[in-house]
Amino acid sequence: MQDAISAAMAPYDYNREDVPDDPEWMGEWDYWQIDGRGCELPVRAGYEDDPRIIRGALTISGTPRVFPPGTCDGGPRGLLDLGAARDPVAAEAARTFREWHEFASHYPPARPLNYFWEKHQAAPQALRGQRVHEDHDSQSVIKALHRERPELRDRVSSCPVDYVGDDLEAFVERQAMDVLSTHALLTLDGEWTYAGTLEGRRHFNTYLEQLPPEALVVRVLYHG
């Protein structure tokens, strides 16, 4: 299994000798290893000890890896339970959304942070940020949030109008899409997709879901 993965990764090595004719071409890394580094994937129940499940033995510094129960660095798509990671986050996001909107319903509607940036756009640069945040934080619901519900504030941020928004489905999707996606996805066709945007994270998750059960999905830690 390791040999097959190494062969698949080889074209993206900075140090490969058979570089393309394009002098501007560079690979994506100069060293790598199988390592989820805190982004391990959940294993489908009953397959935790399946020999097809992949777990890197050592960290990049050479110390033994310790895996949370029921997780791995990869394996056949059919043996991974992607919903086990996303579903609890989606449920918590829905709860947070409802709590915030129930709390906010007792106060005058708050404005988003961008409103105050526009309001103070003529202010001196050195003072603009201060005035923006002072005005934003002076709204009654924001003051009450900090004073009465610090644990809710920690979940909705200090700018909840911007962070949570008014669309339950959109908020839940944003939170759930973050669970599995990492910096980049290398597809079976050798195409790199970067997941720095919501659309990128959505593609990341959809792509994994649509892979055939036998396709290998592996977390790779690389340096480029």
Side-chain angles (χ1 to χ4, degrees):
M1 185 76 74
Q2 176 68 52
D3 290 343
I5 296 171
S6 297
M9 298 296 100
Y12 305 96
D13 190 331
Y14 276 134
N15 299 320
R16 58 180 287 208
E17 296 179 0
D18 59 327
V19 295
D21 293 334
D22 182 357
E24 299 299 320
W25 182 92
M26 295 186 75
E28 287 293 332
W29 48 49
D30 53 3
Y31 66 81
W32 66 277
Q33 71 174 45
I34 295 172
D35 188 340
R37 183 64 71 87
C39 297
E40 290 83 6
L41 296 165
V43 182
R44 192 173 298 280
Y47 292 93
E48 292 85 356
D49 298 321
D50 191 291
R52 293 169 292 175
I53 291 297
I54 300 166
R55 295 182 176 93
L58 302 175
T59 66
I60 199 74
S61 61
T63 58
R65 295 275 304 285
V66 177
F67 286 84
T71 66
C72 65
D73 288 325
R77 165 64 188 86
L79 302 190
L80 304 179
D81 188 356
L82 305 184
R86 285 194 303 249
D87 292 350
V89 173
E92 176 63 16
R95 183 173 74 89
T96 295
F97 182 95
R98 294 187 178 99
E99 281 191 33
W100 157 247
H101 281 278
E102 194 282 328
F103 179 81
S105 68
H106 299 285
Y107 299 88
R111 297 183 183 275
L113 193 63
N114 191 55
Y115 168 85
F116 298 99
W117 282 110
E118 293 178 359
K119 176 182 176 181
H120 293 289
Q121 61 182 338
Q125 190 66 30
L127 297 176
R128 190 181 179 201
Q130 177 183 342
R131 292 179 180 175
V132 165
H133 287 281
E134 285 178 349
D135 259 15
H136 173 272
D137 293 349
S138 70
Q139 299 179 97
S140 58
V141 67
I142 303 300
K143 291 193 295 185
L145 180 67
H146 284 265
R147 182 179 62 250
E148 301 172 18
R149 294 292 304 278
E151 83 292 345
L152 178 59
R153 179 205 58 209
D154 291 344
R155 287 186 279 137
V156 300
S157 87
S158 58
C159 301
V161 177
D162 303 83
Y163 181 70
V164 179
D166 293 321
D167 187 328
L168 170 61
E169 184 176 341
F171 179 67
V172 169
E173 182 193 31
R174 289 200 307 273
Q175 304 307 303
M177 291 299 98
D178 284 347
V179 175
L180 294 174
S181 57
T182 50
H183 177 67
L185 169 71
L186 177 59
T187 71
L188 296 178
D189 297 327
E191 177 184 356
W192 283 95
T193 299
Y194 294 93
T197 64
L198 176 61
E199 189 57 39
R201 293 190 291 276
R202 184 181 290 125
H203 170 73
F204 189 111
N205 283 265
T206 301
Y207 183 84
L208 292 188
E209 291 287 1
Q210 294 177 348
L211 285 173
E214 67 275 11
L216 283 179
V217 177
V218 183
R219 291 291 203 199
V220 172
L221 178 67
Y222 66 87
H223 177 271

